[in-house]
Amino acid sequence: MNSFFALLISVSFIIASAAKTGHVITFRSPSLYPESFTWDPKSHNFIIGGTRDQKLLSISESGVAETLISDTDLPDNSSFLGLAVDRRNNRLLACIHRIPTATHPSPFNALAAYDLKSRRRIFLTPLLDKNDQNPIATVTEIIHPAAANDVAVDSSGNAYVTNSDGDFIWKVNIDGEGSIFSRSDIFKSHPVDLTVDYHKCGLNGVVFISDGYLLVVQSNTGKLYKVNVNDGTAKTVNLNKDLTAGDGIAVRSDGVVLVVSQHKLYYIKSENDWDEGVVFDETTLDVEGFATSVVVGNRKRVYVLYGHLMEGIMGNGNREEFSIVEIEENEDKEDNKWLFVLVGFGLTYFLFWRFQMRRLVQNMDKRVA
């Protein structure tokens, strides 16, 4: 079955289309350089975290920015990375990360939960490699400390945090108790191109699928993994192409999964519960804007965040404006996907028929001989 599927989709082709933008939201927040954002369906606002200070902003659809939370108790120079809204419990979950520096040689990784009504912090859970380790100690290796990158929440309020440096996943339950959830060998089973600048960035974007598993993107391999939330077992999702430098991930209500990278937005669909999937469309993005996150807002509208992150990492910018941009799907590509599949099915059937006929003729020749 796998070989049949691979052959079927191999005859399809994808041409990346230029981004068809809809609603553009420009907001002001000097030197914020955000890496992630999420959609709050209750307030109908976006929530964005800064990488240069310890504050979270609420951004309206008209671009009005308001400080939602300012957590001055967090370690200096720490950043907000992945964000997720726990709708059932009206909480915001936020990944906290601080890279080691000369003045702060120890890394710091944690998951914070904030009540969206009172805006108070519920818990701050250090994310460790070993349960008995000091929260401010080195989490994996001295050279490659862990990085709490993205977070997803399931229907019971459990949070799952990707470690993009250590290639494993933490779990934090609704009470704030943390543990290592999945350290599957499959996460390190694919080759990494050491010549690319993102080769150290492993597990990245994560999303919860209601059927009881996570979908996780791995930046340095372009792979997509399906992870069981009951036992942490993982498998590689067979795709027709790699998700090069994949970063953030989101899922629409119709089941289409979206993966964003600096260069492209990928549209992916599966018909067999994500054992396999098809990248049926790609949209080119503004490279300078450095998109790192994608969310689905009202009415399946897809937005990417242009946070100009690399400019902020290099430390040579004082940008004041950033943008959230709606990316409209090319409807013709959605229709063409099924045309490609039908063509692939026809060609596969023809090749299979030829193979069977050849074997039949060979068997008949042997009998005659």
Side-chain angles (χ1 to χ4, degrees):
M1 179 61 186
N2 287 342
S3 59
F4 174 84
F5 182 86
L7 180 57
L8 186 152
I9 62 178
S10 67
V11 299
S12 68
F13 59 92
I14 303 169
I15 300 175
S17 56
K20 183 181 177 183
T21 58
H23 188 198
V24 178
I25 304 169
T26 301
F27 62 95
R28 291 177 58 86
S29 184
S31 299
L32 184 71
Y33 294 104
E35 193 273 344
S36 184
F37 74 142
T38 189
W39 170 255
D40 180 9
K42 192 169 184 178
S43 67
H44 294 280
N45 288 339
F46 299 95
I47 300 176
I48 291 182
T51 56
R52 287 191 172 182
D53 50 35
Q54 295 75 52
K55 68 179 180 180
L56 294 156
L57 301 183
S58 175
I59 309 294
S60 72
E61 292 185 309
S62 60
V64 177
E66 173 195 356
T67 299
L68 182 69
I69 294 166
S70 180
D71 196 340
T72 56
D73 292 334
L74 295 177
D76 292 339
N77 300 320
S78 58
S79 302
F80 284 109
L81 297 184
L83 304 174
V85 170
D86 179 358
R87 302 183 183 187
R88 294 192 176 203
N89 299 291
N90 199 33
R91 303 182 305 166
L92 175 67
L93 301 170
C95 296
I96 315 294
H97 175 63
R98 184 187 68 190
I99 61 173
T101 63
T103 54
H104 301 90
S106 298
F108 179 80
N109 292 281
L111 181 73
Y114 300 95
D115 184 282
L116 283 171
K117 183 177 181 180
S118 67
R119 303 187 182 186
R120 294 180 179 177
R121 193 207 303 151
I122 303 170
F123 62 73
L124 179 67
T125 301
L127 299 173
L128 314 173
D129 193 352
K130 297 180 180 179
N131 293 332
D132 58 352
Q133 197 172 23
N134 186 297
I136 309 299
T138 301
V139 186
T140 52
E141 300 176 45
I142 298 298
I143 299 176
H144 300 298
N149 199 313
D150 198 16
V151 59
V153 60
D154 67 17
S155 54
S156 300
N158 299 304
Y160 303 88
V161 180
T162 54
N163 178 350
S164 60
D165 210 338
D167 275 324
F168 61 81
I169 301 171
W170 288 287
K171 178 179 179 178
V172 179
N173 67 19
I174 195 169
D175 297 318
E177 299 168 337
S179 62
I180 292 178
F181 168 67
S182 179
R183 203 193 288 266
S184 173
D185 292 338
I186 201 73
F187 298 147
K188 296 187 178 182
S189 64
H190 299 284
V192 174
D193 182 358
L194 299 180
T195 65
V196 297
D197 55 8
Y198 52 87
H199 71 271
K200 293 182 180 180
C201 186
L203 298 183
N204 202 327
V206 56
V207 66
F208 173 71
I209 304 298
S210 58
D211 291 332
Y213 52 86
L214 309 171
L215 290 178
V216 186
V217 183
Q218 192 170 45
S219 299
N220 54 11
T221 65
K223 302 301 181 183
L224 182 68
Y225 300 104
K226 177 181 177 180
V227 184
N228 190 310
V229 296
N230 293 320
D231 57 15
T233 55
K235 64 161 292 182
T236 304
V237 179
N238 294 321
L239 298 177
N240 53 326
K241 66 179 304 176
D242 288 339
L243 309 172
T244 305
D247 196 333
I249 186 172
V251 60
R252 290 193 321 208
S253 59
D254 61 358
V256 170
V257 165
L258 308 139
V259 173
V260 71
S261 72
Q262 179 186 2
H263 296 269
K264 294 180 181 179
L265 178 64
Y266 298 95
Y267 294 80
I268 317 162
K269 194 162 187 175
S270 174
E271 299 296 332
N272 61 358
D273 210 23
W274 293 103
D275 288 330
E276 296 158 330
V278 176
V279 179
F280 67 86
D281 195 8
E282 299 174 11
T283 299
T284 56
L285 301 177
D286 173 19
V287 176
E288 183 182 349
F290 209 104
T292 52
S293 188
V294 57
V295 302
V296 178
N298 279 333
R299 300 182 299 278
K300 297 194 302 184
R301 296 168 72 177
V302 177
Y303 296 87
V304 299
L305 172 66
Y306 286 133
H308 298 268
L309 184 63
M310 188 54 64
E311 181 181 304
I313 291 174
M314 299 302 292
N316 56 358
N318 294 294
R319 185 179 295 271
E320 295 191 356
E321 289 188 345
F322 304 90
S323 60
I324 297 168
V325 177
E326 179 188 3
I327 306 297
E328 298 181 345
E329 182 182 351
N330 186 338
E331 295 182 359
D332 293 337
K333 286 287 186 71
E334 173 73 14
D335 296 335
N336 288 343
K337 174 192 67 173
W338 300 113
L339 176 61
F340 295 151
V341 170
L342 288 174
V343 171
F345 180 81
L347 180 57
T348 303
Y349 183 82
F350 174 71
L351 293 174
F352 180 74
W353 176 82
R354 281 191 60 186
F355 175 73
Q356 293 286 33
M357 289 301 295
R358 182 179 300 174
R359 290 184 61 184
L360 178 62
V361 170
Q362 289 174 346
N363 290 335
M364 289 180 67
D365 289 343
K366 290 178 180 178
R367 290 178 182 178
V368 170

